[in-house]
Structures are given as C-alpha cells and as structure tokens.
Amino acid sequence: MNYVSINSITETVITLSYAKGVIAFDNSAAQFFEENFSSEISLRCTLFALFPSELAAQINEKMTFCKKGRFQTHTYQKNLDAPVFSFYIAPIISENHKIESISLSIEKTQITSGNEENQLLKELNYKTQFYSNLFYHNPDAVFIFDQEGNFINVNAQSARIAETTEEELLQMHFLPFIPEKKKEQVLKYFGRALKGESIDYHCSFITAKGTLKYLEVKNFPIVYQQEIIGVFGIAKDITEKLEIDRKRRADKQMLRAIIDNIPDYIFVKDRNNRSILTNKKFANNILGLDDLKTNSNITPLDYFEETKAKQVIADNDLVMNSGKAVYNRQDIVEKG
C-alpha cells in the first residue's frame, strides 16, 4: 500500500466478474480489507463477503450501470469522523466484446480537521448518509430496478419481505415474485414508470419461500441527465392489515346477523350519542328507515321528542361514565 504524509491514503485494486465474484486482486488487498472492513478477500468471494451489506448493495447498483459501458464512481463514509472511501469502477471488455467483469479501485482518505476541502467532503458525505438512512433504514421495502426489471439495489426490508437475502435478491428479476394472473398488469405499471409516470398500486406477491403477501407499491422513474435509467420502488407489506380488515368485516357481519334476529330493539351509540349500529327492528320501527346504512350519526334528538330524547341521552351518558346498566325504559322505546 502507498502512504501520503498529510492525508494518509491507502489503495487497492480488485477485478470482479459478474458471474464468478472476485477473480483477481493486488498484493495490498488482503491487508486493506482486513484493516478496513474486517473481511478476508479470496478468489470467487462476493461483494457481500467483502463489504457491509449496505455498501455492497450500493456498489452492485453501480456495477449494473457499469455493465452498460459507463464508468462509475462512489463515495462511502460510515460516519462523519470516519475515513472516506472512494470507489472507481471501470468496465473490462473481454475477447468476445462483452463486458463480463469490472476493475474496482478503492482509495481511503483519512479526514483531518481545519481543511476546507475536508469540510466540503464532510458536507457531501452528510448528504450521502442522509440518503442512505432514507434508503437502507427505511421501515418499508425500498429498491431500484434497471430498465429490464432486475433488482440493482435493495434495502434489508426488501429482503425480509421477499424472504431471501439481499445478495440473492440482487441476482433476480421482480417478475418471479408476481402471481401469474397479475404479471401482465404489474408489467404495465412498470412500463408506465419507465415512461416517466409515478404509479401507486396494490398487488399480491409470492415470496422466495412461497408465502403469499399483499403489497402497497409506489414506482417512479430514475432520471439521470434527462434520461430514464431505471425505476425506484417503495413497497409496504399490508398483508396483516388486510387480514385484520377481513376479520373485522366478518365479525361485523356476524354481529349484524345476530342482532337482526333478536326480537328486541338493539342500538349502539358512541360517546356523542350518535348511532353506530342498530338492528333492523329499531331502524324500521323507531327510526322509520329501510336502509340501515343511513342511520349513522343520528342522535335521539332526531327520532324522539325532546323530553324523551334527553332521558335517553342521560341514560347513555350514565352507562358510558359509570359502566352500569340502565333498565326499564319501555316508555321511551315506543314508536310514537
């Protein structure tokens, strides 16, 4: 490794194959990775074996663009007082004229105080960390697709929802996760995002382990130099919410079936004495309504004369405040 007197900079170079992982590295690589990332480099090891998962995913995203012939750079700083790592990713054209590997050069710069350039670096890396926190520590799944629909960057929640690892997810296309009947529709949403639209939709989702889930998804285009180069996505797992809603509806339907078959007058009020539930007998005979949906927000003042209505309201308040039942109001619950 090379050392510079003022800002100590260490360097290393490795060659990565898209299919085989590390295929070559210089003499400084072993010490570099051990000192800076507590990892051990070897042939065929992957990005995730060398770098923290967050950084590995970021480099993988850059490598995807590099495969299209674009030289890429990336800057990483764990925190504002930590060294800055600069990554330079260059495509390597093989004999078959395809880009099957890249050269990854890494420089480490130790930040020192009192230097204007270093202060600018700190500000830049603060913004980078701010973005990273939004992306990698987001409670929802956050991911990036290339123009073909392959995952090129994901956060940890994406892998948890998909029931796989981040490394595996970055080798996959999104389509295998979509049920057959929904694939055409989801592909249309993806195509609209590639054309510049922001799309919100719900879709079913099959995890790597075969679990059926339901997601609330937002897709929007990634624009670089006035060119759409991919699609950004955010997904929330709403499986549990939908199941709770389904059970709530089923419970409400069961309660409705029970109270509609009780011969007495049944009604439920909130603390403001508004009707939130009645049985058919009460709605038909007392309220004079055929449609039960129209009786919400009605108070006793709407269907009793004022004296009786105030008695009912007083009874309701007593029950609400004391938890004690009130009986023998037959004189009130008679249709006038």
Side-chain angles (χ1 to χ4, degrees):
M1 289 183 284
N2 301 318
Y3 295 88
V4 178
S5 58
I6 299 177
N7 289 332
S8 180
I9 301 176
T10 59
E11 302 175 350
T12 192
V13 180
I14 64 175
T15 305
L16 278 161
S17 163
Y18 286 93
K20 300 177 182 178
V22 174
I23 56 176
F25 50 90
D26 65 9
N27 293 331
S28 65
Q31 183 178 347
F32 181 89
F33 282 99
E34 182 179 356
E35 290 179 352
N36 296 294
F37 300 105
S38 300
S39 60
E40 183 177 344
I41 191 169
S42 61
L43 294 178
R44 302 188 72 87
C45 70
T46 67
L47 288 173
F48 284 83
L50 294 174
F51 301 106
S53 60
E54 175 183 321
L55 176 57
Q58 292 169 346
I59 297 174
N60 185 81
E61 178 186 342
K62 297 290 185 178
M63 285 179 61
T64 302
F65 295 128
C66 193
K67 197 171 186 179
K68 298 178 180 180
R70 299 172 178 170
F71 180 83
Q72 299 290 303
T73 62
H74 183 63
T75 303
Y76 174 80
Q77 186 180 29
K78 187 175 182 180
N79 56 61
L80 294 179
D81 297 317
V84 174
F85 293 92
S86 299
F87 296 83
Y88 304 94
I89 309 167
I92 299 175
I93 302 176
S94 61
E95 293 180 356
N96 61 7
H97 306 293
K98 295 182 179 179
I99 298 173
E100 298 177 338
S101 58
I102 58 98
S103 174
L104 176 62
S105 300
I106 311 171
E107 292 181 357
K108 172 188 173 184
T109 305
Q110 187 66 49
I111 298 296
T112 58
S113 59
N115 185 304
E116 183 178 351
E117 181 180 351
N118 288 336
Q119 186 60 36
L120 291 173
L121 270 174
K122 281 192 173 186
E123 291 177 7
L124 174 62
N125 281 285
Y126 174 80
K127 294 178 181 177
T128 302
Q129 287 181 54
F130 183 76
Y131 164 79
S132 294
N133 284 333
L134 288 176
F135 190 101
Y136 294 101
H137 304 294
N138 198 305
D140 295 329
V142 185
F143 43 88
I144 294 175
F145 297 126
D146 64 15
Q147 291 175 304
E148 283 73 47
N150 302 299
F151 289 98
I152 61 173
N153 204 348
V154 298
N155 67 351
Q157 182 64 7
S158 299
R160 281 193 286 269
I161 288 178
E163 294 187 322
T164 185
T165 65
E166 294 171 60
E167 187 173 6
E168 289 293 329
L169 201 54
L170 290 171
Q171 306 301 316
M172 302 179 71
H173 192 279
F174 73 81
L175 212 52
F177 293 105
I178 308 301
E180 194 64 37
K181 292 182 179 180
K182 300 294 183 180
K183 286 183 179 180
E184 183 177 354
Q185 184 63 60
V186 173
L187 279 171
K188 288 181 179 178
Y189 291 141
F190 180 72
R192 287 169 61 184
L194 279 176
K195 292 179 180 178
E197 289 188 57
S198 293
I199 308 294
D200 295 280
Y201 60 94
H202 289 183
C203 73
S204 46
F205 179 91
I206 301 174
T207 72
K209 294 183 178 180
T211 306
L212 179 62
K213 297 184 177 183
Y214 297 92
L215 304 182
E216 182 179 84
V217 182
K218 176 184 286 290
N219 286 156
F220 50 91
I222 301 172
V223 181
Y224 177 72
Q225 294 183 348
Q226 299 182 329
E227 177 187 356
I228 295 176
I229 60 173
V231 171
F232 195 93
I234 302 173
K236 180 187 293 290
D237 186 351
I238 59 172
T239 310
E240 185 176 351
K241 177 181 179 296
L242 291 181
E243 180 62 18
I244 291 172
D245 290 344
R246 185 194 66 79
K247 288 182 177 179
R248 185 181 290 118
R249 288 193 301 270
D251 290 344
K252 190 173 182 179
Q253 290 171 358
M254 182 177 293
L255 177 60
R256 165 63 61 195
I258 292 171
I259 68 171
D260 280 346
N261 287 284
I262 294 176
D264 299 319
Y265 294 112
I266 305 294
F267 64 90
V268 179
K269 305 287 186 184
D270 64 15
R271 284 193 171 274
N272 295 315
N273 288 285
R274 295 172 302 193
S275 294
I276 57 177
L277 180 67
T278 67
N279 66 348
K280 285 184 179 179
K281 184 174 181 179
F282 188 90
N284 297 156
N285 296 344
I286 301 300
L287 304 182
L289 299 172
D290 294 325
D291 183 2
L292 299 183
K293 294 180 180 178
T294 61
N295 67 21
S296 60
N297 295 323
I298 295 176
T299 73
L301 290 168
D302 296 313
Y303 50 85
F304 288 135
E305 55 89 12
E306 186 175 359
T307 301
K308 286 186 177 182
K310 288 182 177 179
Q311 288 176 322
V312 172
I313 291 173
D315 288 344
N316 291 345
D317 290 341
L318 177 61
V319 172
M320 287 282 192
N321 295 326
S322 69
K324 296 179 181 179
V326 173
Y327 301 96
N328 299 323
R329 281 299 184 186
Q330 294 179 352
D331 58 318
I332 292 179
V333 290
E334 291 177 358
K335 184 179 179 182

